[in-house]
Amino acid sequence: MSRARADEEEYWHSSKFRAFTFDDEDDELSQLKESKRAVNSLRDIVDDDDDDLERVSWSGEPVGSISWSIKETASSSTSSLESRDSSLQKGSSSYAAFPKQVSSYSLSSLFKGRNRLPSFQSLSDALSDTGVKNYAPELRRPKAEYKDYSSDWSPKDTVRRMQRGKICSLERFRSLQDKLVLLDEAVAGHDGNVITAVLIFLKRTLRREILFRELEVRQVALCHLIHFLKETGEQKLLLDLLRFLDRTEEVALSQYREHLNIQDVEKRREFLKGCIGLPFSAEDTSHIQDHYTLLERQIIIEANDRHLEMAGQSEIFRKYPRKASILNMPLVTTLFYSCFYHYTEAEGTFSSPTNLKKTFKIPDKQYVLTALAARAKLRAWDDVDALFTTKNWLGYTKKKAPIGFHRVVEILQRNNAPVQVLQEYVRLVEDVETRLNLATKYKCHDVVIETYRDLKDRIQLTAYKCKVERGSAEEEKINSVLNNTVRNTCFFFRNLIRNGCRLGVRAWLSNILFVLAGKLILHLELHSV
Amino acid sequence: MAFAGRRDVPEPPDFGILKRLARDQLIYLLEQLPGKKDLFIEADLMSPLDRIANVSILKQHEVDKLYKVDSRPALSTSDQFCFLVRPRIKTMRYIADIVNADKMSGRSRKYKIIFSPQKFYACEMVLEEEGVFGDVTCDEWSFYLLPLDEDIISMELPEFFRDYFLEGDHRWINSIARALQLLNSLYGPFGKAYGIGRCAKMSYELWRDLEEESEGDGQGRRPEIGNIFLMDRDTDYVTALCSQVVYEGLVDDTFRIKCGSVDFGPDVTSSDKSIKVLLNAQDKVFSQIRNEHFSSVFGFLSQKSRNLQAQYDRRRGMDIKQMKNFVSQELKGLKQEHRLLSLHIGACESIMKKKTKQDFQEMIKAEHSLLEGFDIRESTSFIEEHIDRQVSPIESLRLMCLLSITENGLVPKDYRSLKTQYLQSYGPEHLLTFHNLKRIGLLTEQSAGETLTAVESRVSKLVTDRAAGKITDAFNSLARRSNFRAISKKLGLIPRVDGEYDLKMPRDMAYVFSGAYIPLSCKIIEQVLERRGWLGLEEVVRLLNGNEFSVSDSSVEDNPAWESQRIVLAVFLGGCTFSEIAALRFLGKERGCKFIFLTTAITSSARMMEAMIEAKA
């Protein structure tokens, strides 16, 4: 008896240790659900009053918060804040994380420090600047009121003053030499704001070719000018600059970028047509060409389908009205659309999937994924089947996919495919672990049972019994697998070992060949169970 | 600062004063425009403003109505408009339009623009060009620093990332320097400064420059923060690109934490309302799970809910007096805890649901292979399929970037094919996105010019005229190489683990990525602090493209007994992620020191990718 038990133990592999995974719905999540139940059951004890909860408006903003208030003004700009605020003040302190101003610091002592005036500063500076220097907040006169037209600052001092937010006139830097020294000082000072300020001045006072020429050897400043031109939208000057620098690809991209701002599709299409000739790299030129062709197609399809939909004679459009226009959508979305509404059309029409596939050289993988998703959405399982069925030269059919079958399963599942359909593809998943996971997740009992049987994992198989319905065909199947396989194989194993003892090693080895052959047969038999 | 074994972690300084400073200055500025006024607020400033002030404070200072900048202004009868804005050209034009429209219709009003954190000359130029320069007055609200939590301070400048790293614009460096100056004056003087990256170096220099003028200020004062470490985001893109698996990071990736608070939608709250929740150390539940690996969170939450249940159950056997005590003393706390617990359980559930749907597990596996550098083919086809299935444009980009950075660029064949498929799946206009990613160096193509740097230096020595500019320019567009593999090997970023990595009892910072990878940025900080400088890290520095520095201020008293010696201000220029924050908090606990985070903004892979996409003007 105990002997047989030991054999059994030997036969079954131990269950594999299972680490935490995010796919693991069972253990961790059920634990979580349990906690949730526990906590929720407490709710009625607790929910008697809400006094310590934040008061939150419908949009989720705490009442009295600034974002909330702005939304309110937007929705009812007539009523003033006055009337509302008094009623809301109670809730407004939800974020009051700090006590109401009980500080041992005096504010003014924090901002002020004695400023040791550097000796090189001139008299006018000493006059305009008080000896007290402010750091953080500007608690005196606003800076805008400062005007210092003193004109004898060195370039370095000018830059330093500008860094500190003081207005300095740059007009006295008139020679090219002075201007460039000023620019170099600004760059050396690391403050981009000042660099841009100097560039604005240079741009105003220098002919552009000269400015460009000087910037070419000053990369940091150049970046600032380019960014400035982008932000202010001085497209023409920007393009001139890029052309001067021979950055042809950027010239092209920068022009192409403008299409984002064109709303009208016809105009956009015309614009894109013009972009094809721009100096892109060879690779990008074909992308631009595709962009143009795609939009052209979409305009045709859109006009056609809108017409069809309006006429109300096409069944598919009646059954599944279009949610949005196809204009400006990506190619794959367009392909999905055409697999959804125009699947059976001949290759000659612009809207047929095969035509799209050919025109844009869509890879097989991409095509199959998209077609699968579209046909599954329509629950056209025959079409799905046809996508993966191939015939070999003998006329046998075989299931083949350019993507993993686990993907196929996932897409089918997301479209609520029935278990019968799903099961067929789960079975085709090659990796055992993935197959098991998928089969368990989607309740393809047959596949789970078969896989555990092949893995000889008794513990998991026994454990699985509690997941199938009591008295169902699945339970019976588990029972029969558990009983049969164990007995059969144990018998073989026992014989194997016994014979080994009796015949001696050499004969035993030759016997092994025989036994292995036997096992193979057994294995085949098991599969046909 | 030396890591001398485990010690108690020092308490962080109180940053509440930063909020008060900002609020007081805002009030002062509002009072500069006496009388009733309408306030127009830039969308990006609303959340930060919410954290330091509320409507009644604005109201007390005669703000009548509030508007969002960019929405068409309602017919307002107010005589005064105040604009609270970021210094942006677009916003200037918006304001100028309002002013000019008023002029046309013969209305006279007072206008005031308050720039936060500072004014740019380019903005004034636009006002001048639009002919409204004299009609508006300008002010600056130096709101540089928003404390998001007891150890996180944000500058709330997400645009810094694109402006500096993509456009090469140095406009925010002055703001950073001034922020450092303010912190130094309140919590310094910082005795030791370390840093790596060009921007770090420039910010440091400009800050010292500002500091020189105010010398004598902090001398002899006992500092609260003793060390500062500045780092450019481009030193380590890899960490920022990885999927986050610590709780706070996952919450950020899934729901987007905005300015320290998050909107939990109906799927989390299991009601029809959304709830805005402040996530910080004050949240007793959140503060215990924020740094944990997601797998440990469930256990914690269920333990916690069992405890809660038990505490409620104690009521049963109580007499009146005990009951009275219970209600007056404990009930409120329990109720609060109950509310938080159910929210976080709801959040976990929602995260699980979302992640199972998009085969997160497989993605993590692909990421780990990329980090370790094997099965590249397999990961590439995983990414390809991700694109083909149109799973998510942002995630697809992120994975491609991770592949490119870890592999020092894509093989040309792969680059072309992935790019084509991406354009087909998500739209041809992403051609512009690819161009941006190439410029910033996040997604590049391996080229025959791998040895260019050597050639470059030789050529630039030979050529001194204007052609030199052109050549450097060409090289610039090739973006720098990442050298990730070599750095990873040098610093041992991939832990050798035998058996399972116990995520509940982490042994190193790798736990923030399930034990697969120690975040590079944090490892560098660890190494430099340990060595008190860059000595011995020369090879790593070379691979990181240099620009490192380490300065100790001799004028600052260096007393090893001071707690400030064990407090480090970690400055991330270009954003830091919650995973990095969790990793350094862990390191701090291990080594008995405290990290304070100063970042231009909290970032994540999605925010970085979105910053690279071109939008219409």
Side-chain angles (χ1 to χ4, degrees), chain A residues 194-243:
Chain A
V194 178
I195 300 174
T196 306
V198 172
L199 283 169
I200 292 171
F201 167 68
L202 295 193
K203 176 172 159 267
R204 193 159 50 79
T205 56
L206 284 175
R207 195 155 64 86
R208 63 178 57 175
E209 284 73 18
I210 295 174
L211 177 64
F212 292 172
R213 187 191 70 204
E214 295 302 334
L215 287 183
E216 202 173 11
V217 289
R218 291 173 174 82
Q219 287 295 313
V220 174
L222 179 62
C223 285
H224 282 78
L225 184 64
I226 291 176
H227 192 209
F228 173 79
L229 294 177
K230 276 185 195 168
E231 282 197 316
T232 50
E234 289 173 77
Q235 180 76 351
K236 206 184 154 300
L237 188 57
L238 176 64
L239 293 178
D240 284 347
L241 173 59
L242 293 174
R243 274 192 210 103

Side-chain angles (χ1 to χ4, degrees), chain B residues 128-148:
Chain B
E128 189 177 345
E129 278 183 355
E130 299 282 341
V132 299
F133 189 80
D135 303 310
V136 298
T137 54
C138 296
D139 256 320
E140 285 181 348
W141 179 31
S142 322
F143 182 29
Y144 299 111
L145 299 165
L146 174 67
L148 291 179

Side-chain angles (χ1 to χ4, degrees), chain B residues 46-66:
Chain B
M46 275 160 47
S47 299
L49 187 56
D50 254 338
R51 294 294 301 266
I52 61 156
N54 55 33
V55 175
S56 33
I57 288 182
L58 297 181
K59 179 73 197 30
Q60 279 161 27
H61 300 280
E62 293 178 281
V63 169
D64 187 11
K65 278 181 224 143
L66 289 170

Side-chain angles (χ1 to χ4, degrees), chain A residues 334-393:
Chain A
T334 314
L335 179 64
F336 180 90
Y337 176 96
S338 103
C339 285
F340 195 90
Y341 290 110
H342 305 279
Y343 197 56
T344 50
E345 269 168 34
E347 203 188 306
T349 60
F350 279 145
S351 49
S352 91
T354 22
N355 188 308
L356 284 174
K357 183 172 190 255
K358 258 205 177 137
T359 313
F360 295 100
K361 300 191 193 75
I362 299 172
D364 254 358
K365 213 170 166 178
Q366 175 78 81
Y367 179 81
V368 168
L369 271 169
T370 315
L372 169 65
R375 298 325 285 172
K377 185 135 220 152
L378 285 167
R379 308 178 67 81
W381 309 125
D382 290 344
D383 289 343
V384 170
D385 196 57
L387 263 177
F388 299 110
T389 311
T390 49
K391 269 198 184 132
N392 70 4
W393 56 280

